[in-house]
Amino acid sequence: MPAPDPVAKTAAPLEPFLVDAHCHLDLYPNFLEMIQESEKHAIRTLAVTTTPLAFQRNQELTAPTQYVRAALGIHPQVIGERAAEISIFEKLLPLTRYVGEVGLDASPRFYSSFQTQERIFQRVLEASAEAGGKILSVHSVRAASRVLKLVEKFFPEDRGTVILHWFTGAQSEAKRAVELGCFFSVNSAMLDRDTGKQLIRIIPPDRVLSETDGPFLLKGKCPVRPLDVGDVICAIATVLNEPTTDVRSRIAQNFRRLLKGNSNRPFEV
Ligand code: MN
């Protein structure tokens, strides 16, 4: 595993803002209020989308914000019906630095489209690599090793960054992902399970980000929202036996590093 980035370690302490690196803001009934909530609390929120058409509205509504950014997605679970929309994806790609949700899903319900998913994900990776500098939020349910093979082949590390969202692959696959330069966005459901706790112990701390994956996860009976990402930070801190404030600052630093920190804007377009 590569050594932790010395810059991240020695940088002066920065304001430890919250990061929600994967949330479906447009799937809440009160989409606009959700954007405003992230904005009000300065939560760096990556609003992932499931189709290229949904991205357009997300882009319009988030463009005036400081802290919320829309990601262009073509979700593996909709590829069965929507593979043709890859051409719209490719047309819209120049409008954003952020891509997601994309990836592969080999669970039984979606397995019939797996070959198509692979073909589409390859095109997503190739187009993003060609454009350069993109940040991808990637789904890899039951398909971690296939996702990593495609990333290795079609998305070289110097062409952009992959964030593995809700990663549930084996430890050997996590190590491979680290070698390929991937980040991991971790949510509360992952940390409820021993496998997720083990994972967070083996991933280098400088590759960890927080996410809610709202509204798909619940807190009590209500869908989680970006403000609840503090719970994820608490859970990570508990597993690693570290102060919550340290975990929170490190995730903020990781996020800055991910964005390359070459701008005064809090969240670059
Ligand atoms: Mn998701």
Side-chain angles (χ1 to χ4, degrees):
M1 267 183 263
D5 179 356
V7 177
K9 252 190 153 173
T10 54
L14 298 158
E15 183 209 346
F17 50 78
L18 290 173
V19 175
D20 187 349
H22 187 107
C23 188
H24 299 260
L25 289 186
D26 62 352
L27 300 183
Y28 293 80
N30 51 345
F31 179 23
L32 276 175
E33 284 169 40
M34 296 303 298
I35 294 174
Q36 284 155 10
E37 186 173 280
S38 282
E39 186 70 357
K40 179 176 163 204
H41 296 277
I43 305 168
R44 275 56 168 180
T45 305
L46 193 58
V48 294
T49 57
T50 49
T51 72
L53 295 172
F55 165 76
Q56 290 186 291
R57 178 155 164 79
N58 276 261
Q59 178 79 335
E60 270 170 42
L61 295 176
T62 60
T65 71
Q66 278 200 84
Y67 302 110
V68 186
R69 289 292 170 265
L72 171 63
I74 180 160
H75 197 293
Q77 296 177 351
V78 305
I79 295 285
E81 304 83 54
R82 293 174 173 271
E85 293 183 22
I86 185 66
S87 57
I88 308 173
F89 174 98
E90 287 167 338
K91 225 176 273 167
L92 296 175
L93 187 60
L95 299 181
T96 179
R97 190 177 178 199
Y98 305 97
V99 172
E101 182 164 359
V102 295
L104 299 178
D105 192 317
S107 53
R109 211 174 133 206
F110 304 104
Y111 197 71
S112 62
S113 68
F114 195 72
Q115 282 191 332
T116 314
Q117 291 180 39
E118 288 188 296
R119 185 169 58 79
I120 299 298
F121 185 47
Q122 180 180 328
R123 280 179 69 175
V124 165
L125 293 171
E126 287 176 322
S128 303
E130 195 191 330
K134 305 291 187 198
I135 293 168
L136 279 57
S137 183
V138 175
H139 174 115
S140 56
V141 171
R142 295 200 186 191
S145 105
R146 196 64 201 140
V147 160
L148 295 175
K149 281 201 179 99
L150 290 173
V151 166
E152 182 172 15
K153 200 161 172 197
F154 299 106
F155 195 67
E157 200 180 335
D158 62 351
R159 299 305 299 158
T161 309
V162 166
I163 306 170
L164 293 164
H165 133 75
W166 198 336
F167 186 77
T168 53
Q171 293 196 11
S172 56
E173 291 163 335
K175 285 178 185 156
R176 185 77 200 106
V178 171
E179 287 164 5
L180 293 173
C182 300
F183 283 68
F184 297 78
S185 58
V186 173
N187 63 46
S188 55
M190 290 170 73
L191 296 164
D192 283 343
R193 301 189 181 103
D194 286 340
T195 47
K197 289 178 190 163
Q198 278 304 328
L199 187 73
I200 196 96
R201 291 189 190 107
I202 65 158
I203 302 168
D206 66 343
R207 297 292 184 84
V208 174
L209 299 169
S210 43
E211 66 162 53
T212 58
D213 202 16
F216 292 109
L217 294 179
L218 299 179
K219 177 176 180 171
K221 286 183 180 171
C222 297
V224 288
R225 51 210 297 160
L227 256 183
D228 297 320
V229 86
D231 295 347
V232 178
I233 289 166
C234 263
I236 294 172
T238 304
V239 173
L240 297 180
N241 195 23
E242 278 187 273
T244 305
T245 47
D246 290 5
V247 174
R248 182 171 161 149
S249 327
R250 191 168 61 232
I251 288 175
Q253 280 188 23
N254 292 347
F255 193 70
R256 280 185 193 273
R257 203 174 74 255
L258 173 78
L259 300 184
K260 302 283 190 272
N262 55 1
S263 156
N264 288 328
R265 299 186 57 172
F267 199 161
E268 282 173 73
V269 177

